[in-house]
Amino acid sequence: MRSTIVAALAVALCGHLVAESENDIFKRYRESLATPSAKGIQGIKERALIIWELRSHKTARAVKLLRKVIAEDPAEDPRIYAAFALAEMGTKEAVDALLDVLAAESAGRRTPRRYSSLSAPDENNYKYFPDAVHAALRKVNGALLLERFGETIKRGGGDAVTVLRLVCDMGVKGLSEALGVLLEKTSKASLLCELLPAIEIGGDEALLRKALEKALEHKDWRVRTVAGAMLDHLDADAALAYAKKLLVEKQWRVRSAAVEGLSAVKDKRVVDLLVETYQ
């Protein structure tokens, strides 16, 4: 009889925990934030672990609440746990939220944590919040990540810059279609500077040659600098023709990049061009 009662209580308790809504969890978080100990280590830990519970609620409401925590909590640990909770959800809305958060953080000043009170869910300690978001994104299903990366890249804009940097940092391949769409639609220097290395990592040499031809004629010296360092991806005749122009530009960074790019071109005419230019 006693064992039956204990089992019934256990079932009831588990049912209560499962049934706790996103709003109930967030209410406990807000109550914890309002306590006198909120700024202390114990208060910070408590909020982080409460927020972690939201990972089981794969709803738009839960995503909205986690965004709010990341935007407003005064401590890093709850923000980091919120980021990992979004990754654990693994939904389209959650991944988009992580990309939005990263774009916003990248636009601001990177401030190191004053202290670490709690390890992240992956048992690491992150000095900077964006590094934790990077790690969280690595937990997302690869197919979903490719889909969201691709959609963001196709749209262009500031978020695309963030994603292109992620593509390079994470060594992501399989985005040639999206990268090609962006290449066709944009001439913005900020996008092209990030687009070129992302295409290089993807390994689509035909697309990279097309991108380099566009970039090497660009009016912004920053774009020509990035492209100049990749001259070896062109055939030797094209690489030498572009290098001849780059090596006499006023901007020394462009000239330096051209020398770097030429150093990987396997053609004896490279030496002749350098001697001719700098003798």
Side-chain angles (χ1 to χ4, degrees):
M1 179 68 177
R2 182 178 178 181
S3 61
T4 303
I5 293 174
V6 171
L9 287 171
V11 169
L13 178 60
C14 289
H16 169 72
L17 291 175
V18 171
E20 190 175 26
S21 71
E22 305 96 311
N23 289 335
D24 292 334
I25 294 172
F26 195 69
K27 181 180 178 182
R28 286 194 286 118
Y29 163 80
R30 298 293 295 178
E31 289 171 349
S32 177
L33 188 60
T35 62
S37 62
K39 293 182 180 180
I41 291 177
Q42 284 305 119
I44 293 171
K45 284 183 178 181
E46 181 178 87
R47 294 202 307 281
L49 294 177
I50 291 172
I51 283 305
W52 183 234
E53 296 176 32
L54 282 173
R55 71 191 187 280
S56 61
H57 293 273
K58 300 183 178 183
T59 64
R61 176 63 177 165
V63 171
K64 183 178 180 179
L65 293 174
L66 289 168
R67 280 179 179 266
K68 189 174 181 66
V69 172
I70 292 172
E72 298 179 2
D73 198 287
E76 291 299 287
D77 288 315
R79 300 177 73 224
I80 288 172
Y81 268 69
F84 274 90
L86 287 168
E88 284 283 327
M89 287 180 180
T91 65
K92 169 186 169 182
E93 293 78 12
V95 174
D96 287 348
L98 281 172
L99 296 179
D100 289 345
V101 164
L102 195 56
E105 290 287 327
S106 299
R109 182 167 59 91
R110 287 167 61 91
T111 305
R113 302 172 72 183
R114 287 179 293 177
Y115 59 86
S116 174
S117 59
L118 187 66
S119 295
D122 64 352
E123 300 184 354
N124 289 312
N125 285 297
Y126 296 98
K127 185 176 181 181
Y128 296 98
F129 177 69
D131 296 336
V133 180
H134 276 235
L137 281 166
R138 293 180 187 276
K139 302 289 185 182
V140 176
N141 174 274
L144 175 61
L145 202 60
L146 277 180
E147 177 196 329
R148 302 321 304 152
F149 276 10
E151 288 300 313
T152 306
I153 289 170
K154 287 178 183 178
R155 288 198 304 268
D159 287 352
V161 170
T162 299
V163 170
L164 289 170
R165 289 173 182 167
L166 276 172
V167 168
C168 295
D169 291 343
M170 298 171 69
V172 177
K173 301 179 184 294
L175 290 167
S176 289
E177 180 190 356
L179 296 171
V181 169
L182 181 58
L183 178 63
E184 289 293 332
K185 70 187 290 188
T186 190
S187 293
K188 289 185 65 174
S190 59
L191 283 170
L192 288 173
C193 285
E194 305 295 344
L195 181 60
L196 288 170
I199 294 174
E200 184 180 30
I201 284 174
D204 188 330
E205 288 295 319
L207 181 60
L208 181 55
R209 285 193 294 272
K210 184 178 179 180
L212 286 172
E213 289 169 359
K214 180 174 183 176
L216 287 164
E217 299 289 349
H218 200 276
K219 63 181 181 180
D220 193 305
W221 65 265
R222 293 170 298 176
V223 178
R224 298 195 303 278
T225 298
V226 175
M230 301 180 182
L231 285 173
D232 57 303
H233 289 281
L234 300 173
D235 63 72
D237 288 339
L240 288 164
Y242 280 116
K244 194 168 184 178
K245 299 177 183 177
L246 299 178
L247 289 171
V248 294
E249 286 208 22
K250 292 182 179 180
Q251 174 54 250
W252 68 268
R253 292 178 180 84
V254 177
R255 300 196 303 270
S256 179
V259 172
E260 179 185 344
L262 280 175
S263 68
V265 176
K266 308 301 181 183
D267 192 295
K268 63 182 181 179
R269 291 174 293 173
V270 168
V271 175
D272 295 336
L273 175 59
L274 292 173
V275 170
E276 177 187 334
T277 304
Y278 293 114
Q279 66 180 358

